[in-house]
Amino acid sequence: TRAAYAGAARIRFPGARYRGDIARRCLDAPLRVGVLGSTRGTSLQAVLDAAAGGTLANVSLACCLSNKADAPILERCAKAGVPAECLKAAKGEDRAAYGERVTAALERHGVDVVLCVGWMRIFSDAFCRRWRGRCLNVHPSLLPAHAGGMDLEVHAAVLAAGDAETGCTVHLVTEDVDAGAVVAQTAIPVAAGATPESLKAAVQALEGPALVEALAKVRD
């Protein structure tokens, strides 16, 4: 919508008229982001800082949900004033039923876009359909390379393959794991003598700025 207004404003000819008020209220309303995380949420700090500092304008973190009560990402968000809560899966609860509860919590907070940061659960197909085009995940490789892996196993796979470069990818979540359209991607060379641990640290430093970039694209 913002791009449409910008394009219309560049059109000039005698007698040209266009409406500038249609959907203007929607443009001014902040994009409400719901975070899903199971770990520390280190990469999310860049988003929290950018939203608070104004460099990520018109973006508001509406909530943070975790499937683990002791996940540090909950404390990280709470300290930033973001409503944070644990939503544990019940014993024997299937993936679809849990996804429905997550969706209900996100909707209760008025979420527009879901942002997965270290989320350690696979979504049900129904959840993917409900949030199609509005759910982002960050993966620690240059997708489509090394899709499907998690954490250190991804970086070990990069080294085993002899890749010259690695990086991170922010992509749309779909029913197929790590197969959605790429929204933002950043690459770095694989340093000589790198280990899975050193690669993790190097790639993690890229993830925060990539998340900020991706949210700005979705917002616009």
Side-chain angles (χ1 to χ4, degrees):
T1 306
R2 292 178 187 277
Y5 272 122
R10 288 195 293 268
I11 298 174
R12 292 288 185 270
F13 57 86
R17 295 172 180 268
Y18 71 93
R19 292 282 297 274
D21 59 323
I22 300 173
R24 180 64 64 182
R25 184 174 299 177
C26 293
L27 288 179
D28 293 338
L31 181 74
R32 293 180 60 81
V33 178
V35 177
L36 300 181
S38 307
T39 56
R40 295 174 61 190
T42 304
S43 303
L44 183 65
Q45 192 61 51
V47 176
L48 292 168
D49 293 344
T55 55
L56 188 59
N58 259 25
V59 172
S60 171
L61 273 73
C63 67
C64 175
L65 307 177
S66 179
N67 61 314
K68 296 185 176 182
D70 59 351
I73 193 171
L74 292 173
E75 183 179 2
R76 183 185 299 275
C77 286
K79 285 183 177 179
V82 178
E85 62 182 276
C86 174
L87 197 64
K88 292 185 68 173
K91 185 176 181 180
E93 185 175 23
D94 65 33
R95 190 177 295 169
Y98 181 71
E100 289 177 1
R101 289 203 293 125
V102 173
T103 286
L106 293 169
E107 291 178 339
R108 186 172 70 250
H109 287 282
V111 167
D112 301 311
V113 171
V114 180
L115 183 64
C116 304
V117 184
W119 181 246
M120 308 299 280
R121 290 183 60 92
I122 295 176
F123 294 116
S124 67
D125 288 354
F127 184 94
C128 293
R129 289 193 296 270
R130 171 63 181 81
W131 296 97
R132 189 177 305 281
R134 298 192 294 135
C135 186
L136 301 172
N137 179 57
V138 59
H139 184 77
S141 77
L142 299 175
L143 292 176
H146 310 298
M150 298 179 72
D151 200 30
L152 289 176
E153 69 178 281
V154 175
H155 306 298
V158 169
L159 294 174
D163 294 348
E165 62 178 12
T166 186
C168 69
T169 305
V170 182
H171 64 94
L172 293 175
V173 170
T174 64
E175 290 88 342
D176 297 320
V177 176
D178 297 332
V182 171
V183 180
Q185 192 170 69
T186 307
I188 55 171
V190 175
T195 65
E197 290 78 11
S198 68
L199 276 188
K200 176 179 178 177
V203 170
Q204 196 169 61
L206 307 175
E207 292 178 357
L211 289 171
V212 172
E213 177 187 346
L215 285 173
K217 288 180 177 179
V218 172
R219 174 201 62 197
D220 295 340

